[in-house]
Amino acid sequence: MLFSEAVARSRTWEPSPSEHRMWVKVFKACDEDHKGYLSREDFKVAVVMLFGYKPSKIEVDSVMSSINPNTSGILLEEFLNIVRKKKEAQRYRNEIRHIFTAFDTYYRGFLTLEDFKKAFRQVAPKLPERTVLEVFREVDRDSDGHVSFRDFEYAMNYGQKEA
């Protein structure tokens, strides 16, 4: 899968009906008092239930500041939109990990210039070696001769905020 395909797929993803039902079920389970919204604490529990981790204070603050100020918490539609965006980001990161792993043929956890050359020969055989070297140097942010997953992910996400 090419990078552009990964971007296109992540932007068009919609949950399956069963996923949607599960999200609604989690919302209702976390809204124990049937208020019609999730409080800050309710939202934390919902994230644990759906994603398996406790969200940081920064993440919760960000979510709470983005909701309608005229409500007391996160309404169902807002919750579904937040979860969909988190799932999209999770899927996109998994696709980046898949691409990285395909390039890391020796399973070292990093890419070398040789790995880059081999990968680019497969996806862009007419690309000059000089260009591959420039790309490698750009992606190798700490100039250690290795492209870590973090370096690779940063490069794959570069410019995506504006898109």
Side-chain angles (χ1 to χ4, degrees):
M1 170 188 337
L2 297 175
F3 170 67
S4 57
E5 292 171 0
V7 171
R9 283 172 66 207
S10 69
R11 295 242 167 87
T12 59
W13 178 81
E14 289 296 325
S16 69
S18 64
E19 278 181 305
H20 187 270
R21 281 191 301 276
M22 182 181 66
W23 299 352
V24 171
K25 189 175 181 180
V26 167
F27 179 91
K28 289 178 179 178
C30 292
D31 179 20
E32 291 177 345
D33 300 332
H34 307 290
K35 307 173 297 285
Y37 63 86
L38 298 183
S39 68
R40 178 183 192 87
E41 291 305 312
D42 297 337
F43 176 71
K44 288 182 191 178
V45 172
V47 170
V48 170
M49 290 173 73
L50 289 172
F51 295 95
Y53 76 93
K54 181 181 175 190
S56 69
K57 180 181 182 332
I58 294 170
E59 182 178 354
V60 176
D61 287 347
S62 174
V63 167
M64 297 309 284
S65 69
S66 71
I67 63 171
N68 184 341
N70 297 327
T71 62
S72 300
I74 303 168
L75 299 174
L76 176 60
E77 286 307 312
E78 291 172 315
F79 176 75
L80 295 174
N81 193 39
I82 290 164
V83 172
R84 184 183 54 77
K85 287 178 181 176
K86 286 182 72 55
K87 284 287 186 181
E88 278 180 4
Q90 188 178 53
R91 287 173 53 92
Y92 181 65
R93 189 165 200 266
N94 288 344
E95 288 178 351
I96 291 173
R97 173 65 74 182
H98 181 76
I99 294 166
F100 180 85
T101 303
F103 288 177
D104 182 16
T105 55
Y106 296 106
Y107 307 105
R108 295 174 296 211
F110 60 85
L111 304 176
T112 64
L113 177 58
E114 289 308 311
D115 295 327
F116 256 62
K117 286 178 182 177
K118 183 178 177 185
F120 275 92
R121 276 194 302 270
Q122 291 174 356
V123 297
K126 295 184 192 263
L127 196 65
E129 193 167 319
R130 184 186 89 253
T131 304
V132 175
L133 178 59
E134 289 171 9
V135 169
F136 182 82
R137 286 182 177 155
E138 185 74 25
V139 175
D140 181 16
R141 292 178 26 204
D142 58 4
S143 301
D144 65 353
H146 298 111
V147 172
S148 65
F149 176 71
R150 177 176 260 156
D151 292 338
F152 188 78
E153 182 180 36
Y154 179 84
M156 295 291 280
N157 287 323
Y158 184 80
Q160 291 301 305
K161 298 286 189 239
E162 297 85 29

